[in-house]
Amino acid sequence: MAFVAPGRAFTWLKGKLLGEGKAEGSFCAMIEDSDLSPLRTAFLDLLTASAPRPYLAPCQKEESIEQPEFRYDEFGFRVDKEDGAEPNSSKLLGLPLTEEPQQRLKWQAHLEFTHNHDVGDLTWDKIEVTLPHSDKLRSLVLAGIPHSMRPQLWMRLSGALQKKRNSEMSYRDIVKNSSNDETIAAKQIEKDLLRTMPSNACFSNMNSIGVPRLRRILRGLAWLYPEIGYCQGTGMVAASLLLFLEEEDAFWMMCAIIEELVPASYFSTTLMGVQTDQRVLRQLIVQYLPRLDKLLQEHDIELSLITLHWFLTSFASVVHIKLLLRIWDLFFYEGSLVLFQLTLGMLSMKEDELIQSENSASIFNTLSDIPSQIEDADVLLREAMRVAGSLTDVAVETQRRKHLAYLIADQGQLLNSSTTVNNLSKIVRRRTQRRKSGITSLLFGKDSLVLFTWC
């Protein structure tokens, strides 16, 4: 059982054994230390039950034998020698992932208070599957979720844990039903497995530990959402989730993203949802960044050629993994509104540099490089909230409806009695037969079917 709030004595003991400020994601190396005292070993066994389980340890050992010339960071990404940080450098690659003890205590106190438990008496199984939104919770999310608590909190903030527990089908059944190698989706997934995250030891070759897990998740999604099928954007998101979550939890997180956090048809073959959001973004730039809007118009820059992929992968394909963690903390709490706020924040941070650019090519290149140049998550979040903190879900949804209609008209699709728009505003899970209990079969019949629909 994973303990959330072990109390002051537990926290003091953690500090004494591990040292203040060390990330708990590196526990695998400490557990392998044969010199650990029985107390230390028992403590680590308890504490690591709630820590993220990246596949780094087994992957790194396997890869280091075959390719000793490479070194890997704590997440399994290959690091070139020239990427190493110099003294006093703020480069993300040069900074170890840390967990602030005070921030963890704040989270523990909030969970204890909202669940009416005494210090040290709260465990994950006693925490609700969803956490009600509040100003206090949002401030905690903005400051960052302690890394060891991310797997459990991400599942609750996104609604994934609720989906997992309420699902009529288990992940095992979904994997079994989607195991056909001959489908079009399965064949395309197979082609993309090694293209998704080739620089990470967990996905670099067919023997890497993350590859079969990614395959099962992507096939399961393609089977569960037949109107969506397989989209390359889901691969990058799923692979990133697998670095921190168990396979089944990563799958349900993907379901939460598809059904709840982004609009319908985001990952469809037409990419209608994400295309619509690019038009909404362009309109928001007119409102929030008028100087940049003028520059883009003068140089005829089609911004969606750059930003569509930012939205499609929820920034997983364009920012450093440590920055992604902070972005996803907020994304899983507030949904796709965050994608607009952070994009506007990034553009604002580079607005002066863009305006000083000499030509269209320079502007395009600077825009493309923005995410990879962001190093400080706190600076980005502050700028995003300063520029677009007033943006609301209602305002975004209003713009979405308008631009979706424009997009459908532009592409020559029929728009009769809003049927097309309605079809694009809901996600339908596969119609599937499921086993019923004896009493349910007597009441409703053995052959009744269940249709999963979210609007």
Side-chain angles (χ1 to χ4, degrees):
M1 184 177 296
F3 280 72
V4 173
R8 293 186 181 275
F10 190 83
T11 304
W12 175 85
L13 179 59
K14 181 186 78 170
K16 289 295 184 184
L17 291 180
L18 301 182
E20 292 297 324
K22 290 186 179 180
E24 296 167 358
S26 59
F27 284 154
C28 52
M30 291 185 282
I31 291 174
E32 292 174 355
D33 187 349
S34 60
D35 295 328
L36 293 177
S37 67
L39 174 61
R40 183 181 174 92
T41 302
F43 175 77
L44 289 175
D45 286 344
L46 176 64
L47 196 54
T48 52
S50 66
R53 300 185 181 93
Y55 305 123
L56 177 59
C59 290
Q60 222 171 334
K61 290 178 180 177
E62 177 183 341
E63 293 295 314
S64 61
I65 295 174
E66 298 178 3
Q67 301 175 340
E69 69 275 16
F70 294 132
R71 65 184 180 92
Y72 297 87
D73 67 13
E74 60 209 288
F75 304 103
F77 289 97
R78 189 167 64 239
V79 180
D80 297 328
K81 292 182 179 179
E82 57 268 23
D83 286 335
E86 299 175 357
N88 301 320
S89 171
S90 62
K91 281 189 175 181
L92 284 168
L93 287 175
L95 299 175
L97 183 69
T98 59
E99 182 172 292
E100 293 294 334
Q102 290 301 316
Q103 183 66 3
R104 182 182 174 91
L105 287 174
K106 290 178 181 178
W107 274 94
Q108 291 173 186
H110 176 75
L111 293 172
E112 288 164 354
F113 177 78
T114 54
H115 288 78
N116 297 317
H117 275 268
D118 295 328
V119 172
D121 186 41
L122 188 61
T123 52
W124 284 119
D125 62 314
K126 297 177 182 177
I127 295 179
E128 297 295 331
V129 295
T130 59
L131 301 179
H133 284 204
S134 67
D135 291 340
K136 176 61 176 177
L137 182 57
R138 185 176 186 274
S139 68
L140 286 172
V141 172
L142 273 171
I145 296 174
H147 191 56
S148 61
M149 301 173 80
R150 278 192 171 108
Q152 294 285 357
L153 288 173
W154 279 0
M155 290 287 287
R156 286 166 169 79
L157 293 175
S158 66
L161 184 58
Q162 187 173 49
K163 291 184 181 299
K164 177 181 178 179
R165 294 188 179 177
N166 294 344
S167 176
E168 298 285 349
M169 291 192 70
S170 68
Y171 178 58
R172 183 187 297 272
D173 290 335
I174 292 171
V175 169
K176 182 178 179 180
N177 283 316
S178 61
S179 60
N180 184 0
D181 294 334
E182 299 305 317
T183 65
I184 295 175
K187 292 178 180 178
Q188 187 58 51
I189 289 168
E190 207 64 26
K191 291 179 182 178
D192 289 343
L193 284 173
L194 297 186
R195 303 173 185 170
T196 302
M197 201 177 282
S199 64
N200 190 285
C202 302
F203 303 98
S204 60
N205 63 68
M206 295 306 290
N207 295 321
S208 297
I209 193 170
V211 170
R213 302 176 188 194
L214 180 60
R215 178 190 292 116
R216 288 190 290 267
I217 287 177
L218 296 180
R219 285 187 178 188
L221 293 173
W223 180 85
L224 190 62
Y225 305 108
E227 293 184 6
I228 294 177
Y230 167 63
C231 171
Q232 285 182 324
T234 58
M236 190 67 191
V237 179
S240 298
L241 287 170
L242 280 171
L243 295 176
F244 309 104
L245 302 176
E246 299 292 350
E247 177 183 337
E248 181 176 356
D249 288 348
F251 174 81
W252 292 113
M253 286 291 293
M254 290 300 302
C255 292
I257 291 171
I258 291 170
E259 296 175 5
E260 306 291 345
L261 298 181
V262 300
S265 73
Y266 230 65
F267 302 107
S268 67
T269 54
T270 63
L271 300 179
M272 192 73 75
V274 71
Q275 286 191 66
T276 299
D277 274 4
Q278 299 315 292
R279 294 192 173 206
V280 175
L281 173 64
R282 194 64 188 83
Q283 187 63 42
L284 293 175
I285 289 174
V286 175
Q287 179 180 350
Y288 289 98
L289 300 171
R291 290 197 304 156
L292 180 60
D293 168 57
K294 181 180 178 182
L295 181 73
L296 296 176
Q297 290 191 51
E298 288 176 351
H299 290 268
D300 196 24
I301 302 291
E302 181 53 60
L303 188 63
S304 64
L305 296 175
I306 299 169
T307 56
L308 186 143
H309 205 57
W310 301 5
F311 279 62
L312 190 63
T313 63
S314 305
F315 292 104
S317 61
V318 291
V319 301
H320 190 281
I321 192 71
K322 292 177 185 175
L323 180 59
L324 182 66
L325 290 171
R326 292 290 301 279
I327 289 175
W328 277 5
D329 288 347
L330 193 58
F331 173 57
F332 295 143
Y333 178 70
E334 293 195 333
S336 58
L337 174 67
V338 172
L339 303 180
F340 294 100
Q341 291 174 323
L342 290 172
T343 299
L344 291 169
M346 288 182 181
L347 294 174
S348 175
M349 291 172 68
K350 292 290 184 177
E351 187 174 32
D352 290 337
E353 181 180 339
L354 287 164
I355 291 174
Q356 294 172 8
S357 298
E358 297 180 352
N359 53 55
S360 299
S362 177
I363 295 171
F364 193 91
N365 291 335
T366 300
L367 287 167
S368 300
D369 293 340
I370 288 176
S372 63
Q373 294 178 351
I374 304 293
E375 296 186 347
D376 192 319
D378 290 316
V379 172
L380 171 61
L381 291 171
R382 281 197 299 269
E383 183 65 11
M385 294 305 113
R386 184 192 70 80
V387 173
S390 62
L391 185 62
T392 65
D393 284 310
V394 172
V396 169
E397 288 303 322
T398 300
Q399 290 289 331
R400 276 175 171 155
R401 286 194 294 271
K402 179 177 71 173
H403 287 286
L404 176 60
Y406 290 158
L407 188 60
I408 291 172
D410 288 349
Q411 295 188 1
Q413 299 187 24
L414 294 177
L415 190 60
N416 50 11
S417 66
S418 72
T419 301
T420 305
V421 173
N422 287 336
N423 288 338
L424 289 169
S425 64
K426 62 184 178 181
I427 295 293
V428 180
R429 287 191 185 180
R430 175 178 293 275
R431 182 184 294 269
T432 181
Q433 204 165 11
R434 61 177 174 86
R435 294 182 179 180
K436 293 179 175 288
S437 65
I439 186 66
T440 306
S441 298
L442 288 173
L443 291 173
F444 300 104
K446 295 181 179 179
D447 299 325
S448 59
L449 299 176
V450 178
L451 179 65
F452 305 88
T453 304
W454 278 262
C455 296

